[in-house]
Each structure stands twice: as structure tokens, then as C-alpha cells.
Amino acid sequence: MENYIKIEFPSKSCNEAFARAAAGAFASQLDITVEELADIKTAVSEAITNAIVHGYAGIRGVVEMQCRISGRTIEITVIDKGRGIADIALAMQPLYSGSDDEERSGMGFTVMQSFMDTLHVESQVGVGTTVTMTKKVGAIFDD
Amino acid sequence: MEMRLEYLGSTLVAKLDGELDQSCAAEIRERIDNEINLHGITNLVMDFNNVSFMDSSGIGVLIGRYKQIKARGGKMLVIRTQPQVDKVIELAGLKRIMDFD
């Protein structure tokens, strides 16, 4: 199957729930298990939260989400044009938080990495961040 | 997300309902912390039976409350987590630190 969606929305926290629900609904076109669907929604929630909390940290911007189905693989791309990440390797370390809020757990990238098959982060300070992640689903439905 | 608070002596039972993410994490933690301070709470039970979704924002909420309760010499118990919530909790390693049912 080949299909895609592209949506954009302002960087408001209330759109986190919308974005993960939209990604989940789109992924549901595939034969997919309940657990795989939950994994995708959780990973999307982390990527969108990062874009809103870190990318646009206190300022309003636009978050774009693209979801693409290619065969049995779903690819999700989350793009912000916010402040960017200076040190991607550091930001991706478990428990590292780029926020002053001491109750951000610093687990966002770890969740994305664990719940998806691949995770790729591109970022430039002052330009923005693009997070791309993929997951092959539905192997359980084979034969 | 909705939250109902009940008291059993010095134990606070927080019954969460809905999806726990960054959009509501700050409010949840402030309400619980206020109750802890206001009512001299020593133990905390967090009931996740009606929580259909949680991301890593919820991990921050759990760790923060755990630290508060521990500083008061109390106990914290997290009960009735759904599979999606459980997976996030497991990944964060909270099962090695906190008590779950």
C-alpha cells in the first residue's frame, strides 16, 4: 500500500492529542496490532511534544507532521522551524533534558528509539528540527 | 485529563482519567503537590485504571511525586496501569524504583 497525509497546526499543547490520534487513525489502514498502534502513538506524542516544548520553547510556531505508508512500513516525519538542537547526540541521551523544567523526564528520544524501528534527527540551530521515524508493522499477520 | 482525589487518613488516592501528556502534566503535579502539603499527606496511591494513554511527560509526574513522598517518609503505589502505560513505565525503569500492583 502507498499513501500519505500531511497536516500542520500551531504549537499548542492541546494539539499533541490530536496529532497522535491522527497518526494512529492513518496507521490503522494497515494490518496492525494494538501494541504497534500504541507504540506509534506514543512515539508521535514524544516528537510533537519536543517540537512544541523545545523547538518553539514558549513562542508560537507551526508544527508539520507527515505520515507515509509504503508497503507495511509507516514513516512519520515531524518538522518544526524552531530554535534547533545544538548537540543532537547529547539531546538523544537518555535522561538528558534540554528544558529547565526539572520534571521533564528526558526520555522522549529514548521512547521514540525503543518504540520505532528507526529514528533520524536532523537539526540546525535557528532553523529547526526534523525527526523521521519508521516502523514496519503487521508481521504477526503473515501467512 | 480529569483527576479525582480521595483521602484515607494520611493517604491520598489520586484517580486519573483520560490521557496523560505534556498538556496536563503541570496541572496534575501541582494539584497533587498542593494536596500533599495542605493535608499532611504521607502516602500516595495513583490509580491509572482510566488512563488510556501516557507518554514520557507522565514519567516526570511519577518521579516527581515519588521524590516528594519519599522525602516525607511515606510510600507511593501506582495501580491498575493499562498495557500502553505499562510499557512506558517499564522502559523508564520505574518498576525497579517504585511499587506497582
Side-chain angles (χ1 to χ4, degrees):
Chain A
M1 186 198 281
E2 303 288 326
N3 200 3
Y4 76 93
I5 55 165
K6 186 165 125 179
I7 52 179
E8 60 175 49
F9 47 84
S11 57
K12 294 180 175 181
S13 285
C14 61
N15 286 325
E16 291 161 11
F18 165 75
R20 62 179 178 258
F26 181 74
S28 297
Q29 296 170 67
L30 292 164
D31 285 330
I32 186 169
T33 66
V34 171
E35 187 175 6
E36 287 165 342
L37 198 55
D39 288 351
I40 289 168
K41 287 165 84 169
T42 313
V44 166
S45 194
E46 302 295 349
I48 300 289
T49 300
N50 275 355
I52 294 172
V53 173
H54 301 297
Y56 292 117
I59 58 160
R60 192 67 85 219
V62 173
V63 179
E64 182 181 318
M65 180 176 76
Q66 301 172 8
C67 305
R68 184 174 294 275
I69 288 171
S70 180
R72 285 201 323 223
T73 299
I74 181 148
E75 179 186 86
I76 291 159
T77 307
V78 175
I79 302 162
D80 73 67
K81 297 194 164 32
R83 61 180 184 173
I85 304 168
D87 187 339
I88 296 175
L90 177 67
M92 289 177 77
Q93 271 177 22
L95 306 181
Y96 173 83
S97 175
S99 165
D100 294 336
D101 179 351
E102 60 178 27
E103 287 203 357
R104 300 285 323 146
S105 69
M107 291 293 293
F109 280 125
T110 306
V111 168
M112 290 182 244
Q113 249 160 356
S114 306
F115 289 11
M116 302 294 282
D117 296 339
T118 68
L119 171 66
H120 182 69
V121 182
E122 265 177 55
S123 191
Q124 210 180 324
V125 172
V127 177
T129 301
T130 298
V131 172
T132 306
M133 44 199 180
T134 67
K135 188 178 183 71
K136 192 172 181 188
V137 301
I140 199 174
F141 301 110
D142 280 355
D143 52 64
Chain B
M1 156 156 277
E2 306 280 316
M3 179 168 67
R4 211 168 72 232
L5 299 170
E6 290 171 12
Y7 304 90
L8 296 163
S10 64
T11 299
L12 174 67
V13 182
K15 296 184 171 181
L16 306 174
D17 191 335
E19 304 194 346
L20 176 48
D21 64 11
Q22 189 265 329
S23 71
C24 61
E27 192 195 325
I28 295 293
R29 75 188 196 213
E30 275 162 31
R31 276 187 63 198
I32 292 176
D33 288 357
N34 280 343
E35 295 304 312
I36 289 173
N37 293 323
L38 216 62
H39 292 90
I41 294 297
T42 45
N43 304 306
L44 174 64
V45 178
M46 295 192 70
D47 185 350
F48 272 73
N49 191 41
N50 292 320
V51 177
S52 54
F53 178 87
M54 182 184 93
D55 65 16
S56 70
S57 307
I59 298 300
V61 172
L62 288 174
I63 292 174
R65 305 297 71 67
Y66 175 75
K67 283 182 185 163
Q68 297 248 358
I69 290 295
K70 215 177 165 212
R72 291 172 162 263
K75 284 191 172 166
M76 180 168 135
L77 180 63
V78 181
I79 62 168
R80 302 202 288 177
T81 50
Q82 312 286 353
Q84 185 274 335
V85 174
D86 222 36
K87 201 169 173 179
V88 175
I89 285 171
E90 194 89 56
L91 177 69
L94 298 191
K95 297 229 162 160
R96 294 193 298 271
I97 314 170
M98 299 173 195
D99 291 324
F100 293 82
D101 66 340

